[in-house]
Amino acid sequence: DIQMTQSPSSLSASVGDRVIITCRASQFISSHLHWYQQKPGKAPRVLIFAASSLQSGVPSRFSGTGSGTDFTLTISSLQPEDYATYYCQQSYSSPRTFGQGTKVEIK
Amino acid sequence: QVQLVQSGAEVKKPGASVKVSCKASGYTFTSHYITWVRQAPGQGLEWMGWISGYNGDTTYEQKFRGRVTMTTDASTSTVSMELRSLRSADTAVYYCARVSGFTDVFDFWGQGTMVTVSS
């Protein structure tokens, strides 16, 4: 199975800050990497698919980069509605696997 | 618009079975897989497997093989997931999600179904 490791596990940031979350795969996954946002009590929603493509309706302050084994999710200017938990997920092979999540909290 | 509507919360005793349904609308049901992901309280996301809306082909995560069955009813655009021999560790929110045909991203999600296993 491909292991997905996110860092950090949690972070505190202020409105307007630039936030970067990283995700590392235990083996090559090309660009088969997606990012989801989950708020408490809600289902996840996709932000970025195929490493760098912005899902329709997602604000442009979200961006994704990377390929191979190392990926990043960047929020260019954190907004109050961005406080949530973020997950990466690989779709290179089965079983599909998620990172453990990164909780973004208010500083 | 694409919608996935799941059945309501369940409380089960250890050893029992639970069946969660997921009714799809707003797209061609037979053109997509539906996947199931669960989330234990305070924990991360765990993939369980998926089923083709076209022909019912399934792939289950090894951890759940022998205990899980996913089925599809194209006439009602509904997918169901049955989990048997429940134990307390199966207490979780169970989500269905549509799988994008192009990138395999889980692009639309149901609202989740809480399953509680308790004696």
Side-chain angles (χ1 to χ4, degrees), chain A residues 5-17:
Chain A
T5 304
Q6 291 181 230
S7 61
S9 295
S10 65
L11 65 89
S12 296
S14 301
V15 172
D17 283 354

Side-chain angles (χ1 to χ4, degrees), chain A residues 1 32 34 36 38 41-46 48-50 55 87 89 91 94-100, chain B residues 35 37 39 43-47 50 59 61-62 95 99 102-112:
Chain A
D1 297 2
H32 297 270
H34 319 298
Y36 301 86
Q38 187 181 32
K42 299 294 186 182
R45 71 154 177 159
V46 59
I48 302 287
F49 64 92
Q55 178 73 350
Y87 295 92
Q89 178 242 326
S91 62
S94 287
R96 301 309 199 231
T97 46
F98 291 87
Q100 81 279 16
Chain B
T35 193
V37 173
Q39 186 171 40
Q43 302 301 307
L45 302 169
E46 181 176 35
W47 185 72
W50 57 27
T59 299
E61 210 287 337
Q62 185 171 6
Y95 294 102
V99 184
F102 180 59
T103 60
D104 279 359
V105 66
F106 305 158
D107 58 358
F108 291 93
W109 293 66
Q111 82 276 17

Side-chain angles (χ1 to χ4, degrees), chain B residues 5-52:
Chain B
V5 179
Q6 299 183 223
S7 50
E10 303 265 11
V11 179
K12 297 291 183 181
K13 293 194 182 302
S17 298
V18 69
K19 194 169 189 177
V20 180
S21 67
C22 171
K23 183 173 175 59
S25 61
Y27 71 96
T28 302
F29 180 76
T30 53
S31 296
H32 292 267
Y33 278 70
I34 292 288
T35 193
W36 290 89
V37 173
R38 76 176 186 180
Q39 186 171 40
Q43 302 301 307
L45 302 169
E46 181 176 35
W47 185 72
M48 299 180 68
W50 57 27
I51 183 166
S52 167

